[in-house]
Amino acid sequence: EDPYVMVRGAELEGYCMDLLAALAAMLRFQFRVRVVGDGQYGAVAAGGNWSGMIGEILRREADIAVAPLTVTSAREEVVSFTTPFLQTGIGILLRKDTASQDMSFFHFLSPFSKETWTALLFAYLLTCFCLFLVARLSPCEWNEPKNEENHFTFLNSLWFGAGALALQGATPRPQALSVRVIAVVWWLFTLALLAAYIANFTALLSSGSEQLPIQTFEDLVKQRNLEFGTLEGSSTFYYFKNSKNPIHQMIYEYMEKRREHVLVKTYQEAVQRVMDSNYAFIGESISQDLAAARHCNLIRAPEVIGARGFGIATSQASPWTKPLSIAVLKLRESGDLDYLRNKWWESSCLRRSRERWGPLEPPALGGLFLTLGIGLALGVLAALAELSGSSRRAAAHAKKSCCSVFTEEICTRLRIKGGARQSQETSGKANA
């Protein structure tokens, strides 16, 4: 199984081969490797006999079994295990296009929850009202309260608060100390808020796991689009069989009823099935990490259950169990196990890390563009409404048509020189 043992020409290589070589050099023994006959790790058959590597250890066909062999209580009853050389758990392997959900058009709102956005709106309105109220009460904001209009109207207060949210200065500028205190507190609040928003938004854009609708095993049970299964006769299958957790029991019952369709024979078959169909594979998380590292269209769901370890199996009477355990501990303390882990789990996807930070797709920022468009449209409509009101007053005063005055006002403000053309034509005729 890649990357534990792989055939390269006439030789075997991989993590387990390097581990065996390191153990042999430390304990000074020689070894001969062969692949297990039935291709299984080891499970109890109907007659009570063990298959796979565990069976070969019990039949004395092999002295030790070095593989991603999970230490379980059932196996520990018949064979002995060394200290685990790798730690793992049970995870869910998915294909990205089947696991990812459509990005919301308002994805830019995702950094904050609905409750946070509601609280922000309430804080904004409350602060603006306090600015308006304090500016009315403070004598420093008035020169002549009876004759002068206060600059901090409620609309101006709203504009002042919005300017702070955008880190832009806005008029009117506060004069009274009380108003300045509220303004400074609001500025500090918005500064911290914007920092949190930018940090969360950056994390969302750079992380795909946030878009996974299947985050846990409970999510896997509730959905109906993906089939899911595990290796037939594996420790993962028996973990769900023996678990008392209701969710785990539902997973086991699903796999048991559909075992002909959802259980796979080999790990390679499982990975290929995940890539080719709507299938989720439940298995060792460390092996799934390797699959995700080798196939960039695969991803492992965040939740990992059933923490466990991979150990070297020996017969219960073997004198090699304790020396091997001590050697494994020494390799871990010296950092050699970490070196082997990094060597054989090197990800080809890491070379493409720029893809995670590549151009953003339109759906990610579509809501921002929509908001900008709505704001621009409202601004233009508000300007036209203001100009229309001014034109009606001017038309009533000059006793002209409202449409003609409105057109003249637009031409004047846009500097459309219609009158200039007429004067040029008149001067041209005079010169002729």
Side-chain angles (χ1 to χ4, degrees):
E1 180 177 326
D2 185 7
Y4 301 99
V5 178
M6 299 169 289
V7 178
R8 292 292 184 267
E11 297 182 353
L12 296 176
E13 67 175 18
Y15 179 92
C16 288
M17 299 304 299
D18 287 354
L19 177 62
L20 265 175
L23 293 173
M26 187 175 295
L27 299 178
R28 292 184 172 84
F29 66 83
Q30 295 181 345
F31 61 90
R32 186 178 75 249
V33 176
R34 67 181 182 86
V35 180
V36 61
D38 60 6
Q40 301 294 318
Y41 291 105
V44 182
N49 296 322
W50 282 82
S51 63
M53 295 180 178
I54 303 299
E56 293 193 0
I57 293 292
L58 293 175
R59 295 189 296 270
R60 303 297 175 93
E61 298 174 8
D63 296 313
I64 62 175
V66 185
L69 191 61
T70 306
V71 180
T72 65
S73 59
R75 290 171 177 171
E76 190 72 54
E77 289 180 355
V78 294
V79 298
S80 294
F81 281 98
T82 65
T83 300
F85 56 85
L86 274 177
Q87 298 295 330
T88 183
I90 300 176
I92 308 171
L93 185 66
L94 306 156
R95 197 172 74 244
K96 287 183 178 179
D97 58 348
T98 59
S100 61
Q101 62 186 20
D102 295 334
M103 190 173 292
S104 171
F105 197 65
F106 291 94
H107 185 62
F108 73 97
L109 297 177
S110 300
F112 292 159
S113 64
K114 295 179 181 178
E115 294 78 9
T116 303
W117 284 115
T118 303
L120 173 59
L121 178 61
F122 177 77
Y124 167 69
L125 294 176
L126 180 61
T127 303
C128 293
F129 177 76
C130 289
L131 280 172
F132 165 74
L133 182 62
V134 172
R136 290 275 170 173
L137 296 177
S138 175
C140 297
E141 289 294 337
W142 300 84
N143 291 327
E144 296 181 4
K146 295 183 179 180
N147 302 325
E148 184 187 17
E149 182 181 358
N150 191 296
H151 294 295
F152 268 95
T153 64
F154 187 67
L155 289 179
N156 285 346
S157 298
L158 291 175
W159 178 245
F160 183 88
L165 280 173
L167 296 181
Q168 300 294 322
T171 56
R173 299 187 183 279
Q175 303 294 329
L177 177 62
S178 56
V179 181
R180 289 181 177 181
V181 168
I182 295 178
V184 168
V185 172
W186 177 243
W187 290 339
L188 292 176
F189 173 81
T190 55
L191 186 63
L193 190 77
L194 288 172
Y197 176 86
I198 293 172
N200 287 353
F201 193 46
T202 303
L204 283 178
L205 292 178
S206 62
S207 175
S209 65
E210 296 294 335
Q211 298 302 315
L212 289 177
I214 299 176
Q215 300 273 342
T216 64
F217 285 87
E218 184 176 359
D219 296 334
L220 184 64
V221 172
K222 290 179 178 179
Q223 59 82 38
R224 293 293 180 267
N225 297 325
L226 298 177
E227 292 184 319
F228 54 88
T230 186
L231 288 174
E232 185 176 3
S234 65
S235 60
T236 301
F237 180 82
Y238 288 101
Y239 173 86
F240 288 101
K241 180 179 180 180
N242 299 325
S243 175
K244 303 300 182 183
N245 187 303
I247 298 297
H248 299 171
Q249 279 296 306
M250 293 173 64
I251 292 175
Y252 168 73
E253 292 172 2
Y254 174 90
M255 294 190 297
E256 179 64 26
K257 291 178 181 178
R258 300 168 176 81
R259 60 182 308 131
E260 298 297 329
H261 301 285
V262 299
L263 297 184
V264 293
K265 302 294 184 182
T266 64
Y267 178 77
Q268 289 76 14
E269 178 188 349
V271 173
Q272 192 63 41
R273 185 168 176 182
V274 172
M275 292 192 296
D276 295 341
S277 62
N278 291 336
Y279 180 77
F281 173 60
I282 302 174
E284 302 292 347
S285 61
I286 194 168
S287 300
Q288 293 175 347
D289 289 338
L290 177 69
R294 300 290 173 82
H295 306 281
C296 298
N297 62 329
L298 299 182
I299 189 171
R300 179 175 62 81
E303 185 181 38
V304 176
I305 61 174
R308 56 187 60 188
F310 292 155
I312 299 174
T314 65
S315 63
Q316 291 184 334
S318 174
W320 286 101
T321 307
K322 187 172 182 179
L324 285 172
S325 291
I326 296 174
V328 169
L329 288 174
K330 290 182 178 179
L331 290 176
R332 178 180 298 167
E333 293 169 354
S334 65
D336 290 340
L337 291 184
D338 292 332
Y339 168 76
L340 293 180
R341 173 72 164 79
N342 295 332
K343 174 184 176 181
W344 292 104
W345 268 258
E346 181 183 4
S347 174
S348 60
C349 300
L350 292 178
R351 304 188 188 101
R352 308 176 194 177
S353 60
R354 291 181 61 186
E355 294 178 2
R356 296 190 309 153
W357 302 91
L360 296 178
E361 297 296 329
L365 300 177
L368 281 177
F369 286 100
L370 178 61
T371 303
L372 176 62
I374 293 175
L376 295 177
L378 289 176
V380 172
L381 290 176
L384 292 177
E386 293 171 353
L387 184 59
S388 175
S390 176
S391 300
R392 282 197 300 268
R393 291 190 295 271
H397 184 268
K399 297 182 179 180
K400 293 183 179 180
S401 170
C402 181
C403 292
S404 62
V405 174
F406 183 75
T407 305
E408 290 176 2
E409 291 289 340
I410 290 180
C411 293
T412 301
R413 283 161 173 75
L414 297 180
R415 298 188 180 182
I416 300 176
K417 300 181 179 180
R421 293 180 182 176
Q422 295 178 358
S423 61
Q424 290 177 358
E425 293 175 358
T426 304
S427 61
K429 292 179 181 179
N431 293 334

